[in-house]
Amino acid sequence: MVDNLHSNGVCGHIDIRNGIIDVSCIDMKFTKYVYHPSTHKKLVGFEITLWSLVVEKVKETALVVPEVQYIGWDVAILKNSVALIEGNHDPGHDVVQMIAQNGLCGDITRIVQNK
């Protein structure tokens, strides 16, 4: 989950298996947030609505141009569906390990190798 991180927002790690934000969110100064700094809604434990549909739509659309193997998706969650706003071929690479707040080399290798 990214809330305009590079424009003084926050980002958080979403467990890809269930769509739940599973660690505190952070900003570019590495300040940690359990609650959103503006809305004060709890972030940790928040479940993304229609998560399985989000994953399905992103996977389906990613196959349209298989040569682009790393995409940062902007997704809008609507009342009963999801819409892809855009796919970024060069998303914020600094975010990948920042959001999990630990190294992800093993996880990323397993995903790339389809294991």
Side-chain angles (χ1 to χ4, degrees):
M1 185 272 299
V2 175
D3 179 20
N4 293 317
L5 174 67
H6 295 99
S7 297
N8 298 317
V10 299
C11 68
H13 184 265
I14 301 169
D15 185 325
I16 195 167
R17 298 167 296 184
N18 56 27
I20 295 174
I21 298 173
D22 57 359
V23 296
S24 56
C25 296
I26 59 173
D27 61 19
M28 288 298 286
K29 296 176 184 172
F30 295 98
T31 304
K32 294 185 178 186
Y33 299 91
V34 173
Y35 294 88
H36 192 280
S38 299
T39 66
H40 308 291
K41 294 191 184 243
K42 189 170 184 184
L43 295 167
V44 177
F46 182 83
E47 184 176 353
I48 307 299
T49 306
L50 301 173
W51 181 249
S52 60
L53 192 56
V54 170
V55 172
E56 179 184 320
K57 185 79 163 177
V58 165
K59 283 183 174 182
E60 174 187 308
T61 307
L63 295 175
V64 172
V65 184
E67 296 81 10
V68 181
Q69 297 182 0
Y70 181 75
I71 305 169
W73 295 102
D74 291 347
V75 180
I77 299 174
L78 309 173
K79 189 173 185 176
N80 296 310
S81 63
V82 298
L84 297 181
I85 299 168
E86 67 178 354
N88 299 288
H89 74 283
D90 192 23
H93 300 287
D94 54 337
V95 176
V96 175
Q97 293 188 107
M98 261 177 75
I99 59 175
Q101 300 171 41
N102 64 44
L104 295 175
C105 182
D107 293 337
I108 292 170
T109 301
R110 279 189 292 283
I111 290 168
V112 170
Q113 294 176 347
N114 293 314
K115 294 182 179 181

